[in-house]
Amino acid sequence: TLLGIQVAIFGIISAVILVFIQLVYSNYTYKHLGNLIRNGWLIWFYIISVVDLFLTATGSYMLTIGSQGIVTDIISKPLYVLVCLILIFISIFLFIILIAKNITYLQPHRAIFILANSLKYEEIRDFLWHKYSLEPPDALSVRIVFDLFPEDDIHKSEEDREDEIVKKNEEDDRRLDLIKKEILKIKKKTAGSEDPLISIRDMMIQFIRRADLNSLTEAQNLLLKVSINFLEKLPKRKVDQWSSTENLPKNFTRYLFDLLSSILEIANKEDLESAKKIILNVVYGYSNACMDMGYFPEIVLAIKYLQKIADDSIGKSSIIFQEIMEFYQTLGMKIFDLI
């Protein structure tokens, strides 16, 4: 009887979980399905259920064939039956907790918020490597021209100097070959990379079309948080050697502004000036973060981007133009304080 109950419960709950997953992801993507499958409550539910199925199936089989022995004696004890019954209730309890903790997934934009918060640095990095292909440096030994006659080698013969130059060039060629191999490996690894922020962009566009400014503000804060987290996890720039991550700050900045441009385009079509102000807050917050972390070339890109928006807003939106000018003033004061 317990086996029949457990099989029925296990089958029904498994079907509910599959339907639940389908409801969540049918209109979006299966890319993040692993986030739900790796849920601790789901894992424990299946572990407890499988253990209980094994115990009840063993008991059912042994009692059916009517064998005698130690196993049958253990199965016949009330404690064994009680353990099986308790495990059934535990599996049901775990299922209820699983649904309660993940019920927000049934609201699609809430699901995206949850998934976006779990975005990894590696996902964005791999996509940037794929979108803006890596190229090896033209030369590693540009400085060799300046090393022809160093002060400490003034007494060396011309032949010794030429030998050193040849050795240095050979070393640079070897390093260049290693860099090319690394780039090729990265290109193969990131060939199927998908845009990790596309779901946030689509969600913000939906909010603009529905004129849902509260949700748009929440999504803007999420996008800014993801962007700043990416900057914080970037490795330090190495001035003296090539690195596959050296262009990531610049490329991410270009990517972010392209993303924002597509959102601003919808805001312009919908003629929602308040939505434009919310979207531009991402640029302001991102620029301030770049300033605090010392990403000054990226600040230049932000200024150029805002300048273009300010030029386009002349005669159309005085509020946007004024906001950008005020941000310029704030940014200028920060730069002055650094000097």
Side-chain angles (χ1 to χ4, degrees):
T1 302
L2 285 176
L3 174 63
I5 293 172
Q6 179 60 20
V7 169
I9 291 175
F10 184 78
I12 292 170
I13 292 179
S14 295
V16 170
I17 289 173
L18 290 174
V19 172
F20 182 72
I21 292 172
Q22 182 64 28
L23 282 173
V24 171
Y25 294 98
S26 58
N27 296 322
Y28 290 88
T29 174
Y30 283 87
K31 178 186 174 185
H32 300 291
L33 192 59
N35 288 314
L36 185 59
I37 294 176
R38 289 192 298 269
N39 187 290
W41 297 105
L42 180 62
I43 293 171
W44 276 110
F45 162 74
Y46 276 109
I47 290 174
I48 296 296
S49 297
V50 168
V51 170
D52 197 29
L53 277 172
F54 174 77
L55 292 176
T56 52
T58 302
S60 176
Y61 174 76
M62 297 300 293
L63 293 174
T64 300
I65 64 175
S67 65
Q68 301 295 322
I70 299 176
V71 177
T72 306
D73 293 340
I74 295 173
I75 290 170
S76 302
K77 289 182 179 180
L79 180 62
Y80 187 89
V81 178
L82 180 63
V83 169
C84 293
L85 190 60
I86 290 173
L87 288 176
I88 290 176
F89 284 111
I90 289 175
S91 65
I92 296 172
F93 178 70
L94 290 172
F95 171 74
I96 293 171
I97 293 177
L98 172 71
I99 297 299
K101 284 187 172 292
N102 295 277
I103 198 69
T104 52
Y105 278 90
L106 295 177
Q107 289 182 289
H109 73 276
R110 292 293 172 192
I112 294 174
F113 277 132
I114 294 170
L115 295 174
N117 271 316
S118 65
L119 271 177
K120 295 180 180 178
Y121 160 81
E122 290 78 14
E123 292 180 64
I124 301 176
R125 179 202 63 191
D126 290 352
F127 173 73
L128 293 175
W129 277 340
H130 174 67
K131 183 177 176 65
Y132 306 97
S133 58
L134 287 167
E135 296 295 337
D138 295 329
L140 295 173
S141 53
V142 177
R143 66 181 184 280
I144 201 167
V145 177
F146 304 99
D147 293 340
L148 288 177
F149 302 104
E151 292 182 6
D152 55 344
D153 290 352
I154 195 168
H155 300 295
K156 287 185 179 180
S157 65
E158 186 69 25
E159 185 177 348
D160 290 339
R161 289 177 186 147
E162 288 179 359
D163 288 341
E164 286 186 2
I165 292 173
V166 170
K167 288 179 181 177
K168 188 174 288 188
N169 286 337
E170 288 176 352
E171 175 63 20
D172 287 341
D173 289 340
R174 188 186 65 80
R175 289 168 57 199
L176 194 58
D177 286 339
L178 291 175
I179 289 171
K180 289 178 179 178
K181 288 179 182 178
E182 182 182 350
I183 290 174
L184 185 62
K185 184 179 177 181
I186 289 173
K187 285 182 177 180
K188 289 180 180 178
K189 175 187 173 184
T190 61
S193 297
E194 298 179 7
D195 190 339
L197 300 185
I198 194 70
S199 56
I200 300 179
R201 186 205 68 179
D202 292 345
M203 179 175 59
M204 292 178 75
I205 288 174
Q206 289 181 22
F207 292 153
I208 291 171
R209 287 173 174 161
R210 298 204 305 258
D212 186 355
L213 298 182
N214 289 331
S215 296
L216 181 63
T217 301
E218 196 173 354
Q220 168 257 313
N221 290 331
L222 173 62
L223 181 57
L224 180 58
K225 177 185 174 183
V226 170
S227 301
I228 293 175
N229 285 344
F230 179 76
L231 286 181
E232 289 174 343
K233 292 180 181 179
L234 282 170
K236 297 295 182 183
R237 283 171 170 162
K238 299 177 181 179
V239 181
D240 58 340
Q241 63 185 52
W242 181 88
S243 171
S244 59
T245 61
E246 64 183 4
N247 288 325
L248 283 180
K250 179 185 71 176
N251 290 336
F252 179 76
T253 303
R254 290 164 57 195
Y255 161 62
L256 177 63
F257 293 163
D258 287 344
L259 191 82
L260 293 175
S261 294
S262 63
I263 301 172
L264 282 170
E265 185 179 346
I266 301 300
N268 285 325
K269 288 180 180 178
E270 298 292 328
D271 197 24
L272 272 177
E273 190 165 290
S274 52
K276 297 179 200 174
K277 292 172 64 177
I278 293 171
I279 295 164
L280 287 177
N281 283 335
V282 177
V283 186
Y284 303 149
Y286 182 76
S287 301
N288 286 328
C290 287
M291 175 68 72
D292 295 338
M293 297 181 210
Y295 290 107
F296 300 112
E298 287 65 43
I299 295 173
V300 174
L301 291 176
I303 291 173
K304 289 180 179 178
Y305 179 69
L306 288 172
Q307 183 180 351
K308 183 178 180 300
I309 296 175
D311 292 341
D312 292 340
S313 65
I314 294 176
K316 298 178 183 177
S317 176
S318 58
I319 296 177
I320 296 295
F321 182 83
Q322 184 180 351
E323 270 202 355
I324 293 175
M325 293 302 106
E326 289 175 356
F327 175 72
Y328 277 170
Q329 184 179 3
T330 305
L331 194 62
M333 291 175 65
K334 279 192 171 185
I335 295 172
F336 182 77
D337 290 340
L338 288 174
I339 296 173

